Amino acid sequence: MIDAINKGSKKDLVLFEKFKQTVLVKGKSFFDENINICSPENFLMFEEQYIKNYISAKNISFREKTALQTVGTTKSFKHLFVNYLWLYNYFFSSINNKYYKVSRTKKSKIEDVSFLLGYELDEKFFPEYGFANCGISYTQNKYEEVCVIHIFIKKLFENQDLISKEEELQKEIKSINVKNELEFYRGKEYKKAGIKAILLFLLFPDKYEPIVSYADKEMIVEEFLGEIGNDVDEDILTIRERENIITSFYTDELIHKWNKNKQLSRVIKNKLQLGMFYDSASAKLKEIIPYDEDYLGKIANDKCKNGLLAEELVFNTYYKEFINKKGVVLQPILQKLVDIKYIDFKDENYNELMKKSTKDICHFSKNI
């Protein structure tokens, strides 16, 4: 799927290959090859410090938590930890391009990793472009994602031939289940970790998509094939071959074919003022009454002008249609607010919204 990413990101794949050889094959630190990081002692210490002694406090940042969890630990262990963090941050898009907007700057990636070591690392170690926005689920579940990275790298050094066995390696990545594999793990059941999709693409770019969202993959398959088979990644490969698709599924031409949220937003823009509503039973916009003052009456007309119809539309669409797909409910709304620069991931508005119910977020959107 190399053609499905921009040219800058292709250069970043070269950087990952260096990481792979240094860390995943040799077990050395990507930032100092004189330091051996993939040892049983360090793996055990990670499970003691990061998992068993998990800090659940919500009033301190992830960086502050990791700083507390690494107090008094060895240089080698800290390097293991920052290599995990490097891999977690690697995929985030660092520039604006035709597919994605900045989701984590290169500077932020450098700071996130350098923080634990106490000195700033050379920018040559960090991707210039990145690949994707990664989504809210990946961003919010950093603890769980890093746990998956730990399991993956630990498996590589428990079975040192694994990295060279393509079929077995793919199965191992897909089967990682943090809840079953880490004794003191306190996070959620997390079978669809974003890092698994990322690792599959980075290690096998000709077989997998640079797509972190499982929901997006499923929507693509449902649109082109009608239903999801045994393996969504194999389904997408089938779609590419059958439809002769060599570009990203996020191009304007393709995204409006499969992404229900994009389809709806485009229809809303054209139809909302004509007096349309979203019928969740048929999953279609339907006309309720023509936009005529005499017919609508003063109250109905005022509602349309005040955006209450828009509020109902957003609520029906995102809340009722996606309520059973955890993680998908909030993403389209919050991402749209970020896209139009109404809020920023670092703003207090965003943090406050994350604490609210889905219903509150839907109603908040009418004000944009």
Side-chain angles (χ1 to χ4, degrees):
M1 301 309 144
I2 297 298
D3 288 334
I5 60 176
N6 62 64
K7 292 181 179 178
S9 297
K10 292 177 184 178
K11 295 179 181 178
D12 287 340
L13 283 176
V14 176
L15 186 67
F16 174 76
E17 184 60 30
K18 292 180 180 177
F19 178 88
K20 173 185 172 183
Q21 293 302 320
T22 304
V23 182
L24 306 185
V25 176
K26 298 177 184 177
K28 307 292 184 180
S29 173
F30 187 48
F31 312 109
D32 187 343
E33 291 193 44
N34 293 315
I35 300 176
N36 179 32
I37 61 172
C38 296
S39 65
E41 294 78 15
N42 279 346
F43 292 144
L44 180 61
M45 185 174 292
F46 178 84
E47 292 174 17
E48 285 284 333
Q49 298 295 110
Y50 185 73
I51 299 170
K52 187 176 181 179
N53 294 325
Y54 172 66
I55 300 173
S56 60
K58 295 183 178 180
N59 60 338
I60 61 175
S61 69
F62 185 88
R63 286 186 189 177
E64 292 170 321
K65 290 178 183 180
T66 54
L68 291 172
Q69 289 164 327
T70 55
V71 169
T73 58
T74 64
K75 182 178 181 180
S76 173
F77 173 73
K78 287 179 180 177
H79 269 265
L80 174 73
F81 211 139
V82 297
N83 276 268
Y84 285 180
L85 294 179
W86 182 94
L87 185 52
Y88 169 80
N89 284 325
Y90 170 81
F91 215 69
F92 284 107
S93 57
S94 300
I95 62 166
N96 291 321
N97 60 47
K98 61 183 178 180
Y99 303 142
Y100 303 107
K101 294 184 178 181
V102 172
S103 57
R104 186 154 301 180
T105 64
K106 183 176 182 179
K107 181 181 178 182
S108 175
K109 293 178 182 181
I110 294 173
E111 290 174 350
D112 207 26
V113 173
S114 300
F115 179 75
L116 283 182
L117 296 181
Y119 59 90
E120 187 165 316
L121 291 159
D122 194 309
E123 65 175 21
K124 71 179 182 181
F125 292 113
F126 297 85
E128 194 71 36
Y129 301 91
F131 295 83
N133 292 336
C134 295
I136 288 177
S137 176
Y138 188 76
T139 304
Q140 285 186 322
N141 296 303
K142 191 171 183 177
Y143 166 77
E144 288 83 357
E145 299 286 357
V146 173
C147 284
V148 174
I149 290 173
H150 167 70
I151 293 172
F152 167 67
I153 293 181
K154 184 180 177 182
K155 282 178 180 288
L156 292 181
F157 288 89
E158 289 176 340
N159 178 3
Q160 295 191 358
D161 294 330
L162 183 59
I163 193 69
S164 61
K165 297 178 178 178
E166 289 194 10
E167 292 299 322
E168 188 177 341
L169 182 56
Q170 291 172 67
K171 289 178 182 178
E172 283 288 353
I173 293 172
K174 291 180 180 181
S175 67
I176 291 175
N177 186 325
V178 287
K179 200 81 172 178
N180 294 340
E181 298 183 56
L182 294 174
E183 182 181 357
F184 300 105
Y185 173 76
R186 300 184 188 181
K188 61 185 71 174
E189 187 75 30
Y190 203 57
K191 294 180 180 179
K192 292 185 176 181
I195 193 63
K196 291 161 72 171
I198 291 170
L199 287 170
L200 287 167
F201 168 72
L202 293 176
L203 293 166
F204 310 102
D206 292 326
K207 293 184 178 181
Y208 295 90
E209 295 290 326
I211 299 176
V212 182
S213 168
Y214 287 81
D216 281 8
K217 288 183 178 182
E218 289 172 354
M219 281 194 286
I220 290 169
V221 173
E222 287 172 350
E223 173 60 30
F224 287 93
L225 298 183
E227 61 181 1
I228 300 168
N230 294 327
D231 190 305
V232 70
D233 294 299
E234 291 181 4
D235 289 341
I236 293 179
L237 195 57
T238 298
I239 293 168
R240 282 197 174 278
E241 293 172 350
R242 192 182 74 178
E243 304 289 332
N244 194 29
I245 297 173
I246 61 172
T247 60
S248 170
F249 280 101
Y250 292 91
T251 60
D252 288 339
E253 179 184 357
L254 290 174
I255 195 168
H256 290 290
K257 289 184 178 181
W258 61 265
N259 191 306
K260 295 177 183 177
N261 307 317
K262 293 288 184 182
Q263 290 171 351
L264 187 63
S265 64
R266 188 166 57 174
V267 174
I268 289 173
K269 188 180 294 184
N270 296 331
K271 301 292 186 181
L272 184 57
Q273 290 187 352
L274 298 177
M276 311 294 288
F277 80 105
Y278 184 75
D279 178 27
S280 58
S282 63
K284 292 180 180 179
L285 280 164
K286 291 185 176 180
E287 184 173 1
I288 41 174
I289 40 179
Y291 192 78
D292 179 88
E293 285 205 32
D294 292 334
Y295 191 81
L296 284 172
K298 185 177 184 304
I299 295 177
N301 186 45
D302 287 344
K303 281 188 176 183
C304 284
K305 287 182 177 179
N306 290 332
L308 296 182
L309 184 59
E311 175 183 332
E312 292 168 4
L313 179 62
V314 171
F315 181 81
N316 285 336
T317 304
Y318 293 115
Y319 187 71
K320 293 183 179 178
E321 180 69 9
F322 296 119
I323 190 63
N324 293 322
K325 296 183 179 180
K326 190 174 182 181
V328 180
V329 182
L330 306 182
Q331 192 275 340
I333 302 171
L334 291 180
Q335 185 60 54
K336 182 56 65 178
L337 295 177
V338 172
D339 287 347
I340 66 172
K341 301 189 183 301
Y342 191 84
I343 58 172
D344 186 270
F345 284 116
K346 297 180 181 179
D347 286 350
E348 290 183 7
N349 280 345
Y350 179 79
N351 293 327
E352 286 301 312
L353 278 176
M354 293 309 299
K355 298 175 185 177
K356 295 182 180 295
S357 68
T358 303
K359 182 176 180 180
D360 288 336
I361 293 173
C362 290
H363 283 228
F364 173 84
S365 68
K366 77 182 178 68
N367 297 314
I368 64 176

